[in-house]
Amino acid sequence: MEQQDVVGIAAALDGLTEHWSPKVVARVNDQYVKVAKLLGELVWHAHDDEDELFLVVSGRLRIQLEGRDEVRLGPGELFVVPRGVRHNPIAEEEVRIVLVETVTTAHTGSVVVERTRSIEEQLGR
Amino acid sequence: MEQQDVVGIAAALDGLTEHWSPKVVARVNDQYVKVAKLLGELVWHAHDDEDELFLVVSGRLRIQLEGRDEVRLGPGELFVVPRGVRHNPIAEEEVRIVLVETVTTAHTGSVVVERTRSIEEQLGR
């Protein structure tokens, strides 16, 4: 990631080879902007102190939320999962997204699964 | 702005009636996500302590930057103006953008012009 470069979202997404493996493409203040490809289901988890923004670029994303109706996002739609709310993203087809989340946010919260990616992996280090 | 609603970016942009008048559509952590329509030139300004992310939805945006080459952004491209860097966005045609910036960021920094919009205006209050 080069902070001061122009980032093409489609090109960054095209560069991803793995599902559920976000890559950092920019930083704005204390937030990372990431791109990811999703397919299937991640895992129920929460981020106790951090909101997480999902913006769908292509495909349709379901986000199951504890204690309320799931949300469904199509291209050009965004949703912020509030801090502390357990959630589970589900992509029945391949979904390409942009994420905005605090630099300290752990991928799957306190839940660690095979798909969990460290921030070093997300930074491509 | 309802924090927990799904936000359609195109619809939010369609709702804007005025150029250079950002509207807050979501908050993620200490950042506001805003939409804006731009046409013409804003004003040279800087945000001393805050980065500002520009993501172009449609049109082509030039951002003049003090001390380095201007950047040109097309649809699906983003750029983060680093804190402290004087900049001047120019839209030779109508450009629709998404902004991400700290909740405390002043629209035109310490420069106040006719086009300057308060955060209350940006929140639709």
Side-chain angles (χ1 to χ4, degrees):
Chain A
M1 177 193 60
E2 293 298 326
Q3 171 79 356
Q4 293 186 37
D5 281 354
V6 172
V7 175
I9 291 172
L13 281 161
D14 287 344
L16 296 177
T17 54
E18 196 179 11
H19 293 115
W20 302 107
S21 185
K23 293 296 174 198
V24 175
V25 296
R27 177 177 178 154
V28 54
N29 301 301
D30 62 348
Q31 306 292 298
Y32 278 141
V33 180
K34 306 175 181 181
V35 293
K37 286 182 185 171
L38 314 182
L39 184 61
E41 192 169 335
L42 188 55
V43 63
W44 278 97
H45 66 283
H47 311 284
D48 289 346
D49 301 314
E50 298 137 346
D51 310 325
E52 188 171 26
L53 181 148
F54 291 80
L55 165 62
V56 170
V57 176
S58 66
R60 298 203 166 264
L61 179 65
R62 293 167 52 199
I63 305 177
Q64 295 181 314
L65 298 161
E66 192 168 67
R68 58 161 287 182
D69 290 344
E70 71 174 29
V71 298
R72 290 165 179 262
L73 301 177
E77 291 183 330
L78 68 86
F79 181 76
V80 178
V81 176
R83 59 193 66 189
V85 173
R86 290 185 75 239
H87 58 283
N88 183 36
I90 300 177
E92 291 169 358
E93 58 183 324
E94 184 176 90
V95 182
R96 291 156 40 116
I97 65 168
V98 172
L99 290 163
V100 179
E101 52 193 12
T102 304
V103 294
T104 51
T105 299
H107 187 202
T108 50
S110 57
V111 178
V112 176
V113 292
E114 194 183 338
R115 283 181 165 159
T116 302
R117 292 291 172 265
S118 70
I119 192 60
E120 287 73 22
E121 290 173 297
Q122 296 177 52
L123 285 162
R125 289 175 187 162
Chain B
M1 177 193 60
E2 292 297 326
Q3 170 80 357
Q4 294 186 37
D5 281 354
V6 171
V7 175
I9 290 172
L13 282 161
D14 288 344
L16 296 177
T17 54
E18 197 180 10
H19 293 115
W20 302 106
S21 184
K23 294 296 175 197
V24 175
V25 296
R27 176 177 179 154
V28 55
N29 301 301
D30 61 347
Q31 307 292 299
Y32 277 141
V33 180
K34 304 176 181 180
V35 294
K37 286 181 183 170
L38 314 181
L39 183 61
E41 191 169 337
L42 188 55
V43 63
W44 278 96
H45 66 283
H47 311 285
D48 288 347
D49 301 313
E50 297 137 347
D51 309 325
E52 188 172 26
L53 181 148
F54 291 79
L55 165 62
V56 170
V57 176
S58 67
R60 298 202 167 265
L61 179 64
R62 294 167 52 198
I63 305 176
Q64 294 180 315
L65 297 162
E66 193 168 68
R68 57 162 286 182
D69 290 344
E70 71 174 30
V71 298
R72 291 164 179 261
L73 301 177
E77 291 182 331
L78 68 85
F79 181 77
V80 178
V81 176
R83 57 195 66 188
V85 173
R86 290 184 75 240
H87 59 282
N88 183 36
I90 300 177
E92 291 169 358
E93 58 183 325
E94 184 175 90
V95 181
R96 291 155 42 113
I97 65 168
V98 172
L99 289 163
V100 179
E101 53 193 11
T102 304
V103 294
T104 51
T105 299
H107 186 201
T108 50
S110 58
V111 178
V112 176
V113 293
E114 195 182 335
R115 284 182 165 159
T116 302
R117 292 291 172 265
S118 70
I119 192 59
E120 288 73 21
E121 290 173 296
Q122 296 178 52
L123 284 161
R125 288 175 187 161

